[in-house]
Amino acid sequence: MKVVFLSYARVMNQSDPKTWLQKIIFYTGIAEAMARKVKVESVHCIDYEGTLEQHDVTYHFLRLLKLGIVFPLRLHKYVSKLDADVVIVHGLIFPWQLIQLQNTLRKSSRIFVQHHAEKPLRFHKAFFQRYADQRIEGYFFTEAGLARPWIDAQQIKRNEKVHEVMEVSSSFQCTNVDRDKKRYLWVGRLDHNKDPLTLLNGFSIFLKKNPHCVLTIIFRGGTLRSEVEAIIKEERLSGSVILIEDVPHIELEHHYNQSSFVIATSHYEGSGTAVCEAMSCGCIPVLSEIPSFIFMTGRGKVGFLFERGNAQALANALEKSSFIDVEKYREQVLQQFSKHLSHDAIANKMLSVINDGADG
C-alpha cells in the first residue's frame, strides 16, 4: 500500500527543503513513523523544486504560483503519477481543490482529510465542501467534539466518517526527572484565544496558599502584552512569574524538562502543540476543558481540567496539582503520550482506520 500526504499550503518564504521539514517535524514524524510499515510519500508547495529522501519517506517539492493552487492542474497531475492507494490531505479549507483532485486520481484511490483547527466553511466554500464530502472516505480530528460543528453544518454528512486521531506529535524527550516540583510553565501567544489573563488571575489566587510556586510564561507575539504586564504589576507577581520572549523552538525542550507542570488556558485548539511537547517531556498538564485537551489527557485521567476562562476553576485545579505524587504522575503522563500522542501512535491509528475501511 502506498500513502501520499498532500499539502496545498503554499509557503514561498521557504526554499530549503531540509529546513522546511525540520520546521514541520511535528507532522513529518508521523509520515516517517508510518513509513516503517507502508510506502509513504509527501508533497509540499514551497519555493523549491525537487525530491528528498528522509527516513524512508520520499518528499516532493513543487514551486507553484497562487493560480497553481486555485487550479492545481500541475500539482494534481504530479500526485496522480505517484499512483497512491490512499491520499491524506492536510486541512479542511481546500474543498475546491479536493473536488478537482477526486477527478484526477484513479477511482480506487481513497481520500482522507486531516483537521488542522479549521472551523466550518462559509458561502461558496461551504457548498464545495458538501460536494467534496461525497468522495472523502474519512476525516481525522483530534477529538470528535471538534467535528460536531462540521456535522451540524452538513459539511460532513456522517458521524462514521470522523476518527479520533491526534493532529501533531513531538520529538522532544524527557531527560530530567530531578526537577522543581513547584515550577509551572505556559507557552503560547499573548492573545485572547490563549487567554494569558485567566492564567495570571488564576495563578495569583493559587499563590495565596502556595507562595513558593513559580510560573514561567514563554511567549511570542500577541496583543495582550500590556495587559499581562499590568496584572503582574498590580498583583505583585514579579517574584513568582517569569516572562520570556521569543525562545527558539529547539530550546523549548530544556524549559519543558525544567518544569513539573504545563498550563494551557486556550479557548480553542485543533490539538495543542506546546502541550503535546510538554507531555513528551513528562510535564503534568493543567488544561482548559476543551475537546482537544480532553482527548490528550485521556478524558481527564492524566492531568487536571478546568472550565475555560474561569480563573477560580484554574486556581482549584492548580491546588489539586500541589498534592499529587509528581514522579508517579509523570510516569502516567509519559505512558499517555507514548500510547496516544507519539508519532508511532498517530501513524498506527491512521493505518488502523485505513485498513479497517479497506476490509469493509
Side-chain angles (χ1 to χ4, degrees):
M1 178 170 64
K2 180 189 282 190
V3 176
V4 171
F5 287 86
L6 172 59
S7 173
Y8 289 105
R10 179 175 174 271
V11 187
M12 288 296 103
N13 63 347
Q14 295 290 332
S15 58
D16 182 347
K18 290 185 177 180
T19 300
W20 173 242
L21 295 182
Q22 181 61 36
K23 190 178 183 69
I24 60 169
I25 192 171
F26 37 80
Y27 294 130
T28 59
I30 299 167
E32 291 165 10
M34 188 180 291
R36 290 192 281 271
K37 296 189 174 182
V38 299
K39 176 66 176 175
V40 176
E41 305 194 33
S42 188
V43 181
H44 303 263
C45 302
I46 65 172
D47 190 19
Y48 176 82
E49 291 267 348
T51 60
L52 175 68
E53 297 281 338
Q54 178 176 288
H55 303 302
D56 297 322
V57 176
T58 302
Y59 291 96
H60 303 263
F61 303 94
L62 282 80
R63 185 189 292 114
L64 300 174
L65 299 173
K66 285 184 179 180
L67 193 62
I69 296 296
V70 178
F71 297 100
L73 301 178
R74 181 185 169 217
L75 175 59
H76 286 169
K77 184 177 180 180
Y78 190 98
V79 172
S80 179
K81 288 182 178 179
L82 298 180
D83 196 29
D85 299 295
V86 175
V87 177
I88 300 176
V89 177
H90 286 288
L92 267 76
I93 56 172
F94 302 105
W96 171 243
Q97 289 82 353
L98 276 167
I99 292 169
Q100 296 173 76
L101 177 66
Q102 293 165 352
N103 293 325
T104 305
L105 299 176
R106 56 181 165 88
K107 289 187 177 181
S108 60
S109 295
R110 303 157 65 199
I111 299 174
F112 292 81
V113 181
Q114 186 175 29
H115 178 246
H116 291 319
E118 304 92 353
K119 294 184 179 181
L121 305 176
R122 302 175 63 192
F123 308 121
H124 63 285
K125 284 191 174 184
F127 172 80
F128 290 149
Q129 170 57 31
R130 293 187 187 103
Y131 187 85
D133 177 66
Q134 297 175 39
R135 272 201 61 195
I136 295 172
E137 183 171 331
Y139 299 86
F140 298 128
F141 284 79
T142 295
E143 204 272 340
L146 290 165
R148 175 48 53 189
W150 292 83
I151 294 170
D152 290 344
Q154 296 186 326
Q155 293 180 27
I156 296 176
K157 287 286 186 176
R158 295 186 288 110
N159 292 340
E160 294 78 10
K161 288 188 173 188
V162 175
H163 306 279
E164 288 191 341
V165 181
M166 180 63 182
E167 178 193 12
V168 298
S169 188
S170 167
S171 59
F172 291 163
Q173 296 182 357
C174 181
T175 59
N176 177 26
V177 294
D178 184 22
R179 59 184 85 178
D180 189 344
K181 298 178 182 178
K182 298 183 181 296
R183 184 169 292 275
Y184 294 75
L185 178 66
W186 184 94
V187 179
R189 289 177 56 82
L190 301 181
D191 60 30
H192 290 286
N193 181 59
K194 302 293 185 182
D195 199 358
L197 307 187
T198 292
L199 168 73
L200 288 170
N201 289 326
F203 199 77
S204 176
I205 298 170
F206 171 63
L207 280 175
K208 292 176 182 178
K209 293 183 180 180
N210 302 272
H212 301 297
C213 291
V214 175
L215 169 64
T216 300
I217 297 176
I218 297 178
F219 69 98
R220 176 172 295 174
T223 59
L224 297 179
R225 180 167 184 166
S226 60
E227 289 89 337
V228 165
E229 292 174 341
I231 292 176
I232 291 174
K233 182 178 180 179
E234 292 169 7
E235 298 295 330
R236 300 180 180 180
L237 301 177
S238 58
S240 302
V241 176
I242 303 167
L243 286 178
I244 306 177
E245 187 174 10
D246 289 334
V247 173
H249 180 258
I250 194 66
E251 294 180 14
L252 287 175
E253 186 174 18
H254 167 76
H255 290 279
Y256 293 133
N257 274 288
Q258 295 300 310
S259 305
S260 287
F261 300 89
V262 62
I263 305 173
T265 44
S266 302
H267 289 248
Y268 179 83
E269 297 284 355
S271 56
T273 303
V275 171
C276 185
E277 291 175 340
M279 291 178 68
S280 75
C281 295
C283 294
I284 299 164
V286 183
L287 313 175
S288 50
E289 192 171 6
I290 60 176
S292 59
F293 293 163
I294 291 172
F295 174 85
M296 293 173 70
T297 60
R299 286 172 162 66
K301 292 179 181 178
V302 176
F304 302 88
L305 299 173
F306 62 91
E307 181 185 4
R308 61 184 178 183
N310 188 326
Q312 183 61 60
L314 169 57
N316 295 343
L318 292 171
E319 186 67 23
K320 291 178 183 177
S321 75
S322 67
F323 290 104
I324 65 171
D325 183 331
V326 172
E327 285 80 9
K328 182 178 179 180
Y329 222 96
R330 181 177 297 122
E331 287 302 316
Q332 295 175 8
V333 170
L334 292 171
Q335 289 175 18
Q336 171 72 5
F337 174 83
S338 178
K339 290 181 180 179
H340 300 285
L341 311 180
S342 65
H343 291 126
D344 283 332
I346 297 168
N348 290 339
K349 182 61 183 293
M350 285 182 169
L351 286 176
S352 176
V353 170
I354 291 167
N355 289 332
D356 285 349
D359 294 340

